[in-house]
Amino acid sequence: MTERVGPKNYCLLAEFATTEEILHAAKSAYAHGFRRMEAYSPMPVEGLAESIGFERNRIPLVVFIGGVVGGSLGYLLQWYSAVVNYPLNIGGRPYHSWPSFIPITFETTVLMAAFAAVFGMLAMNGLPRPNQPIFGVERFALASQSRFFLSIKADDPLFDPNTTYQFLEGLNPYEINRVES
Amino acid sequence: MMAGEALKLRFDRIQSVAIIAAVGGLVGSAIAGLVWPSAFFPAYLVGFLFWVGISLGCISLLLLHNLTGGQWGRLIRRPLEAGALTIVPMAILFVPIGFGLKTLYPWADSAIVAADRALQHKAPYLNPVAFLLRSGISFVLWITLAYLLNLAASIRDRKGGQAPGWLYSMSGPALAIVFFTGSFVAMDWGMSLEPDWYSTIYGVMVIVGWALLTFAMMIFTISLLARSEPVASAATPGRLQDLGNLMLAFVMLWAYMAFSQFLIIWSGNLTEEIPWYLRRLRGGWEYVAFALVLFHFFVPFFALLFRDLKRNSQVIIWVATAVIVMHLVDLAWLVLPARGEALGTGPRIPWGALLLVLVTTAGIGGVSIWCFLWGLKRRPLVLEEHPAHRGGSAHV
């Protein structure tokens, strides 16, 4: 990940105790104009992803393309080997016996779609990422247990170390941390 | 929430149309049965298999939902419960088939059996008494299950959303019973039309087709109901998407079954097996087969990959309609070619019998839909949420 900001500010991290609070905070921040945000929660919170502006990602498209490519290549491979490269007479059937090509075509479709899903996901979300500055906040470990966090990244156009801090304070968080990289 | 007055009026109006369809279709069927029995009985079987499949599908999906739970069931449980009740009129509508055994099934004709050694060996299983006994036992079991499922629904409504415990403990064994009896009757009613032929996947293929048909029918129903309250607010995009995804799964499962049977028989190319496909891929039927591949699999498959389509009830209703229509075509393709010689059309498409399919389907469907709406009016259209489950139902 490339950080366009200086080595100092990474983000401001606000901690909340309940789903209602994090939802309210996320919506307020979005309404205020912040876009480079991230919300952390120990369990799925209905509407949280939408509230910080997440609509959908391109994974389904990548998977679909992976499936189409896999299926086409699988079929082509069989056609090439059975019709062009090494034609065999099997029970007097035509060389291009499409019904017997279908199972393998299906398999390669699924295989490539799955590869596209996994590697496409890793390429798009930047994982694996063993460390990131936000781990420096000790209480952040609670994001996988009982607490909810909202971070506003320093590369947000509206970000300002002081006014953004004040804005977050207005949302009544349990605690605010300055995260520096 | 009870169904509003306007909705009740609409149900009443559809019920009157259903009565007209039932009377018209069944009278037309009866006349056809007297005048032209060789075309009537196969056509009636197609219509019967279509609607009995929906009754059985409703029972099975209810049992399945008892076992798995899940948001997808909340929206369609009411229609499923009403649909399960339609098994009762279907049992009565089975009677005409009992009168047509000799016309429909070669094994029921003693002259044919006398000339066919294989049929003589199959006679202990394939004979009219055993056939009617198997069908009778199946109907008794199914009606019992439909009654129990609706009884549990009544108890649940009285107890504010808490279903009785026995509903969950009986659902597993009951699902196995429906699956086995369904497989038996699929082989009796459908596969034994050509008693020389056999396919071990046939029963499952028919059952999966019925489940798919039922899912399409439920999505169709819910999409119509979603045009007004109370279903409009219950049919959230997330729940519709779940239903669409499940229908996609059944589209794929059906294609898997249908193609597996074809691949195995095509690969073997044996004289006992391949005529079944030859009859269905000649004389015009090959276009029907092609249409099935296209509109029973590829079109719904690719359409249901799109998220926005699944989340909009007034769009997904078209996919459901296509699946419903194509499944009727599929059943006609399974049944009618078997009787080509008796119909005098040989390998060609028997257009007369095909036209009769519309009459019989309308007649049986009128009865089924009337019964379905009668069941749907008895209870609130949307399930009351049990307080204990409310927290876990967040889903958009």
Side-chain angles (χ1 to χ4, degrees):
Chain A
M1 290 294 278
T2 51
E3 298 296 341
R4 274 167 288 146
V5 286
K8 273 291 151 204
N9 291 313
Y10 177 73
C11 74
L12 283 170
L13 186 67
E15 175 184 339
F16 299 91
T18 65
T19 51
E20 287 81 12
E21 283 171 16
I22 181 84
L23 266 175
H24 170 72
K27 281 176 190 158
S28 310
Y30 191 83
H32 194 265
F34 292 112
R35 291 295 178 268
R36 295 279 299 141
M37 288 189 288
E38 199 69 73
Y40 306 87
S41 153
M43 78 264 200
V45 176
E46 184 185 345
L48 184 55
E50 290 78 9
S51 68
I52 57 166
F54 175 87
E55 275 172 2
R56 56 202 307 172
N57 56 40
R58 286 203 213 123
I59 285 289
L61 182 68
V62 170
V63 174
F64 181 77
I65 293 171
V68 170
V69 169
S72 313
L73 286 180
Y75 196 95
L76 209 68
L77 173 74
Q78 295 173 88
W79 173 83
Y80 176 74
S81 49
V83 179
V84 180
N85 196 30
Y86 203 83
L88 273 178
N89 183 337
I90 300 169
R93 289 195 189 80
Y95 293 134
H96 185 200
S97 285
W98 64 267
S100 51
F101 296 172
I102 298 294
I104 302 297
T105 305
F106 173 76
E107 301 287 348
T108 51
T109 306
V110 174
L111 182 73
M112 287 301 285
F115 276 151
V118 173
F119 294 112
M121 176 268 290
L122 291 179
M124 285 184 195
N125 64 12
L127 292 175
R129 202 169 167 195
N131 195 17
Q132 52 172 304
I134 213 163
F135 294 163
V137 179
E138 207 171 309
R139 286 185 63 85
F140 186 68
L142 294 174
S144 56
Q145 290 172 27
S146 54
R147 289 296 178 135
F148 307 87
F149 294 85
L150 181 74
S151 74
I152 297 178
K153 299 258 171 70
D155 54 359
D156 192 289
L158 291 182
F159 185 88
D160 175 89
N162 299 318
T163 55
T164 305
Y165 192 97
Q166 284 160 9
F167 169 78
L168 283 173
E169 258 184 338
L171 298 172
N172 260 333
Y174 178 82
E175 190 179 286
I176 304 179
N177 275 285
R178 284 183 195 280
V179 182
E180 298 180 336
S181 54
Chain B
M1 276 181 284
M2 287 303 284
E5 279 307 310
L7 203 57
K8 271 225 168 87
L9 275 175
R10 247 178 88 197
F11 282 180
D12 290 340
R13 224 170 311 142
I14 302 172
Q15 271 186 315
S16 344
V17 177
I19 290 177
I20 295 169
V23 173
L26 291 179
V27 168
S29 300
I31 294 169
L34 294 172
V35 180
W36 194 17
S38 61
F40 161 72
F41 282 110
Y44 187 83
L45 182 65
V46 173
F48 178 79
L49 287 176
F50 182 82
W51 291 104
V52 83
I54 296 171
S55 314
L56 284 178
C58 288
I59 295 174
S60 315
L61 291 180
L62 272 178
L63 293 170
L64 188 68
H65 185 249
N66 291 341
L67 293 176
T68 64
Q71 282 286 312
W72 60 274
R74 290 188 44 79
L75 205 50
I76 58 170
R77 263 199 92 96
R78 291 306 191 190
L80 286 177
E81 282 158 7
L85 288 173
T86 60
I87 194 68
V88 179
M90 292 315 293
I92 300 162
L93 289 167
F94 176 71
V95 172
I97 292 173
F99 287 107
L101 292 186
K102 230 174 162 175
T103 320
L104 277 171
Y105 303 104
W107 51 260
D109 189 330
S110 45
I112 296 176
V113 176
D116 190 326
R117 294 248 326 183
L119 286 190
Q120 285 163 30
H121 281 289
K122 290 182 181 185
Y125 186 85
L126 279 183
N127 63 70
V129 176
F131 177 93
L132 293 174
L133 201 65
R134 284 192 295 270
S135 300
I137 292 172
S138 304
F139 272 113
V140 169
L141 289 169
W142 298 335
I143 290 171
T144 310
L145 286 177
Y147 170 75
L148 288 175
L149 286 166
N150 274 276
L151 179 70
S154 302
I155 295 175
R156 188 192 53 215
D157 286 353
R158 263 206 313 280
K159 293 196 174 171
Q162 181 81 57
W166 54 260
L167 178 67
Y168 300 103
S169 42
M170 76 154 210
S171 289
L175 195 60
I177 288 173
V178 175
F179 195 84
F180 275 112
T181 49
S183 184
F184 272 106
V185 297
M187 295 198 182
D188 272 354
W189 298 343
M191 196 167 101
S192 81
L193 287 163
E194 287 137 299
D196 291 337
W197 179 81
Y198 48 84
S199 158
T200 44
I201 215 167
Y202 189 92
V204 187
M205 181 180 79
V206 170
I207 291 173
V208 168
W210 282 341
L212 169 60
L213 170 63
T214 310
F215 240 102
M217 216 55 162
M218 287 301 123
I219 290 178
F220 184 83
T221 310
I222 281 299
S223 300
L224 285 185
L225 289 172
R227 289 176 183 172
S228 57
E229 292 295 343
V231 177
S233 45
T236 58
R239 286 175 183 167
L240 288 168
Q241 191 182 348
D242 287 351
L243 290 178
N245 282 338
L246 279 163
M247 183 157 81
L248 174 62
F250 275 108
V251 164
M252 289 193 281
L253 198 58
W254 173 85
Y256 171 79
M257 298 298 169
F259 179 75
S260 298
Q261 177 178 288
F262 173 74
L263 179 64
I264 289 165
I265 290 178
W266 177 87
S267 302
N269 202 18
L270 301 175
T271 40
E272 310 92 85
E273 293 179 348
I274 204 73
W276 194 88
Y277 275 108
L278 293 181
R279 277 192 282 274
R280 283 160 181 79
L281 294 170
R282 269 184 195 167
W285 285 115
E286 67 269 33
Y287 301 110
V288 179
F290 185 70
L292 283 172
V293 173
L294 203 61
F295 296 108
H296 205 313
F297 175 65
F298 277 106
V299 168
F301 173 77
F302 282 109
L304 289 171
L305 288 181
F306 289 94
R307 197 176 114 102
D308 292 334
L309 185 149
K310 285 179 279 197
R311 294 169 73 89
N312 185 339
S313 65
Q314 301 316 310
V315 180
I316 199 175
I317 189 171
W318 292 104
V319 183
T321 309
V323 170
I324 292 166
V325 171
M326 285 321 288
H327 202 67
L328 184 63
V329 175
D330 182 41
L331 289 169
W333 184 77
L334 286 181
V335 170
L336 295 183
R339 294 275 70 86
E341 278 136 57
L343 282 165
T345 49
R348 280 168 288 117
I349 292 180
W351 292 106
L354 214 54
L355 217 61
L356 261 183
V357 167
L358 297 180
V359 178
T360 58
T361 306
I364 302 171
V367 178
S368 187
I369 288 172
W370 186 91
C371 175
F372 171 71
L373 288 174
W374 176 81
L376 208 55
K377 281 199 293 193
R378 289 166 69 212
R379 300 213 177 90
L381 272 175
V382 175
L383 277 182
E384 291 291 330
E385 272 180 274
H386 189 253
H389 301 149
R390 203 162 281 161
S393 64
H395 194 67
V396 174

